[in-house]
Amino acid sequence: MGRRRQSVTIKHVAADAGVSLQTVSRVINNEPNVRPAMKERVQASIDKLGYVPSIAAQRMSGSRSYIILAINDRDRTIADWRAREGRDWIDQMLLGGMLTCAEHGYRMMIELVDTHNDHVERELSAAIAALQPDGVILTPPHSENDLITGLLATRGIPFARIGSTQAGPGIAVTMGDKFNAGLATDHLIELGHERIGFIAGPEEFSLANRRIAGWEAAMERAGLSTEDLCQRGDFGFESGAAAAEKLLSLVPAPTAIIASSDQMTLAALAVARKRGLRVPEDLSLVSFDNSPIVRFTQPALTAVDQPIAATISRVVELLIEAQSGKLPDGPTAVPGEVIVRSSTARAPKHDAG
């Protein structure tokens, strides 16, 4: 049996180049205080030996960990995984975050924390102590949890708040919720709909209120009423069904409904069928998220595509830039788009006026 090839380490590079470990580390970390000739010498050894820098080697300078940590809600994430209903929030986070981290020599890691847990500070502190991240990504509802944002601010760790525009520490980044809701509403208005219902998310998510504002603004621009046409859910199927029942019980009932999650839109589709309504002939539906499942429903759902991967990619860039003190002047928005499929059509003639 042949001898297993020994892994090349930073020590091998230092020995080959005839320099200290600290010098190799400074070259790896692209620090400015390295003479060009020394940098070329070390880089030549790296190339010759086929050395791939590890996080441990990058940490040797003591300035950075080269880790971006994303904090997601434990209960919701585990529930989504167990339900196996096609939601791909984590997948899209990893797609955008990991690829962009890799481009800059970083690693992305995800921790699950319960925002309602009395031990949230202890859990987050333990994760920070173990990983020493250079930046933290907070997703809803963590992004508006004062305990979490206050802890990160106190420790001087750059962090981004996804889905939040409220004043406070950290980098505020949204996926254009108000704009996206307006796009969805305009799409239905262009199809002649005048009674457009809206199923919003819970009040604890500020993005839910921004989506309502986008829907209301589009309706107002068209001179249409929103009275009694908004119901709230919790982004889950059951709450969406209850909200759809209330909307479709109105007289006159809406001829179109926008729901703030794919699960609530699927619930609205089920309620419509139970009532004998045809989609899209009698009722048009527009969803938010555009997770994989909406392409395979009958009919396939028109949906607002939430740019999760693009948003997390941009957040990683902002957090890396923050290492050198560069911060955006205000909230950053990465707007989505409406993907038109078969669940929307022209309004029924009796409503088109």
Side-chain angles (χ1 to χ4, degrees):
M1 180 181 295
R3 187 176 64 179
R4 186 174 63 181
R5 183 178 179 181
Q6 185 180 21
S7 297
V8 177
T9 70
I10 189 173
K11 292 182 179 179
H12 293 109
V13 174
D16 187 79
V19 299
S20 67
L21 295 177
Q22 287 74 18
T23 298
V24 177
S25 179
R26 286 196 291 270
V27 172
I28 292 170
N29 293 324
N30 199 29
E31 294 184 15
N33 57 338
V34 182
R35 296 192 308 273
M38 184 63 70
K39 185 173 182 179
E40 290 179 10
R41 180 173 164 185
V42 172
Q43 189 61 52
S45 292
I46 289 174
D47 294 340
K48 181 177 77 173
L49 299 174
Y51 173 65
V52 178
S54 67
I55 290 176
Q58 290 174 312
R59 280 184 169 180
M60 284 190 65
S61 66
S63 59
R64 299 184 185 181
S65 67
Y66 290 84
I67 291 176
I68 300 296
L69 176 63
I71 306 293
N72 219 49
D73 183 75
R74 173 183 287 126
D75 287 348
R76 291 179 185 274
T77 301
I78 292 175
D80 288 349
W81 284 343
R82 286 177 172 164
R84 301 179 72 179
E85 291 173 339
R87 303 175 194 179
D88 64 344
W89 170 268
I90 293 291
D91 291 346
Q92 291 298 308
M93 281 185 65
L94 292 173
L95 172 62
M98 292 181 71
L99 292 181
T100 306
C101 278
E103 290 175 5
H104 296 275
Y106 280 70
R107 299 290 185 273
M108 181 176 176
M109 303 189 72
I110 291 183
E111 287 282 325
L112 302 183
V113 173
D114 184 358
T115 197
H116 301 297
N117 193 316
D118 293 338
H119 306 298
V120 61
E121 186 172 5
R122 186 177 67 190
E123 289 183 13
L124 186 55
S125 295
I128 290 171
L131 300 172
Q132 299 177 19
D134 289 334
V136 175
I137 300 172
L138 299 177
T139 60
H142 296 319
S143 49
E144 295 182 331
N145 183 315
D146 292 338
L147 183 61
I148 293 176
T149 58
L151 185 150
L152 293 172
T154 299
R155 299 197 180 192
I157 301 172
F159 65 95
R161 297 180 281 118
I162 304 296
S164 176
T165 58
Q166 68 182 25
I171 301 168
V173 182
T174 75
M175 287 183 276
D177 294 287
K178 182 177 180 180
F179 175 80
N180 294 340
L183 280 182
T185 309
D186 287 340
H187 168 64
L188 292 169
I189 291 171
E190 289 170 2
L191 291 172
H193 294 276
E194 298 179 358
R195 296 276 291 170
I196 302 172
F198 196 87
I199 303 177
E203 291 187 20
E204 65 180 295
F205 289 80
S206 66
L207 62 85
N209 297 325
R210 290 196 298 276
R211 291 178 185 177
I212 292 174
W215 163 71
E216 288 178 333
M219 294 287 279
E220 183 178 351
R221 287 195 299 270
L224 301 175
S225 173
T226 59
E227 185 176 359
D228 298 327
L229 286 172
C230 183
Q231 295 291 330
R232 283 191 185 269
D234 62 7
F235 297 127
F237 188 93
E238 295 301 327
S239 70
E245 288 281 9
K246 291 177 181 178
L247 288 174
L248 293 175
S249 295
L250 295 173
V251 179
T255 61
I257 292 176
I258 303 168
S260 287
S261 76
D262 289 335
Q263 293 300 314
M264 292 197 296
T265 312
L266 291 172
L269 177 61
V271 169
R273 285 176 173 159
K274 185 179 71 173
R275 287 172 166 264
L277 297 174
R278 299 167 299 164
V279 175
E281 292 85 355
D282 302 316
L283 178 70
S284 286
L285 293 176
V286 178
S287 183
F288 262 81
D289 294 339
N290 195 36
S291 58
I293 194 171
V294 303
R295 300 196 299 272
F296 305 111
T297 59
Q298 291 295 326
L301 295 178
T302 293
V304 173
D305 185 63
Q306 293 285 85
I308 300 168
T311 299
I312 299 301
S313 174
R314 182 62 184 135
V315 165
V316 167
E317 293 174 343
L318 290 172
L319 289 173
I320 292 174
E321 291 172 3
Q323 301 299 313
S324 57
K326 183 180 178 181
L327 294 171
D329 295 331
T332 298
V334 184
E337 61 179 326
V338 175
I339 307 299
V340 178
R341 299 191 180 95
S342 305
S343 67
T344 51
R346 293 206 60 82
K349 291 183 179 179
H350 61 78
D351 185 69

